[in-house]
Amino acid sequence: RATITEDPSPGSVLTRTNALLGTRASRTMFSTAFYMLVSRSQGTIRYASAGHNPVLLLTPGADTCIELGATGIPLCVDSDWKYTGEDVPAPHGSLLVLYTDGLVEARCPDGEQFGLQRVKELVVEHRARSVKEISSILNTQVDTWCRGSTYMRDDVALVVVRVSVGD
C-alpha cells in the first residue's frame, strides 16, 4: 500500500515496489506479482505483471480465455526495472482468474501436470456459475487430479472475480 498513494497506475506501483525491495545479490530470491485496477464505469482493466502466471480473462460470449501475460520481470531481479501497464476491455460479466503456479503444475500419479489448458476449459465450461463455485470446482479438480500422486505439491492460491460494470 505504501507505493499506491503517489500514483496508483499498475506499472508505477510495481516499479516503486521493485525499487523498494531492491535487487537480491544471490538472484535466487524473487517474487512475482500481478496488480490491476478495474474501472467499473468504463468496463476496462489496467494491469501490470511482474513475471506472474498469466491471469485468465473470459469475456461474455467468448469461447476461450485471454491470457493477460507478464509486462515485466519478477520483482527483486533488477531494482531499476521499469514496469509497464496494459489496458484491456472487461465488459460486464467478464471473469478473471488469478492463480499461483501450484494450480497448473500439480501432477497426477503419472507425472503429468494439470496444466493451464485444463484450467481454461473448466472456466469456460462453468462460466455461468458463481465465482465461489468456480473456485471450488477448480480446487476439487486439482485435488482429484493429484490423488495418489507421490510428486510434491506446491501451495495453491486462487482468486476468481466477476466484473460488474456500473456506478
Side-chain angles (χ1 to χ4, degrees):
R1 285 190 268 169
T3 63
I4 295 173
T5 56
E6 185 179 321
D7 174 2
S9 67
S12 295
V13 168
L14 289 185
T15 297
R16 287 192 308 280
T17 300
N18 188 52
L20 284 171
L21 292 173
T23 302
R24 302 292 179 238
S26 69
R27 300 270 189 219
T28 59
M29 296 296 292
F30 64 89
S31 179
T32 66
F34 185 91
Y35 178 70
M36 72 176 167
L37 298 173
V38 178
S39 172
R40 294 180 62 215
S41 62
Q42 296 178 358
T44 59
I45 296 168
R46 173 169 283 178
Y47 79 93
S49 174
H52 196 69
N53 294 322
V55 168
L56 301 179
L57 170 64
L58 179 62
T59 57
D63 294 330
T64 58
C65 295
I66 298 166
E67 295 181 25
L68 305 182
T71 60
I73 62 176
L75 301 172
C76 302
V77 173
D78 177 355
S79 62
D80 295 324
W81 187 268
K82 304 296 182 218
Y83 292 86
T84 59
E86 295 198 17
D87 294 316
V88 293
H92 182 78
S94 295
L95 281 172
L96 290 156
V97 181
L98 299 89
Y99 58 92
T100 56
D101 58 356
L103 182 75
V104 294
E105 294 175 2
R107 295 180 183 269
C108 71
D110 294 335
E112 183 182 353
Q113 292 186 350
F114 189 74
L116 184 57
Q117 187 58 40
R118 278 187 186 82
V119 174
K120 290 178 178 182
E121 290 168 2
L122 287 166
V123 170
V124 171
E125 178 183 351
H126 299 287
R127 69 187 314 147
R129 295 180 182 257
S130 71
V131 294
K132 184 176 181 181
E133 289 173 311
I134 294 168
S135 297
S136 179
I137 289 166
L138 287 169
N139 279 313
T140 299
Q141 290 293 318
V142 169
D143 286 344
T144 301
W145 179 260
C146 295
R147 192 168 292 137
S149 177
T150 57
Y151 290 92
M152 182 179 283
R153 279 192 70 186
D154 198 356
D155 63 310
V156 174
L158 174 65
V159 176
V160 180
V161 176
R162 188 175 310 276
V163 176
S164 174
V165 175
D167 294 332

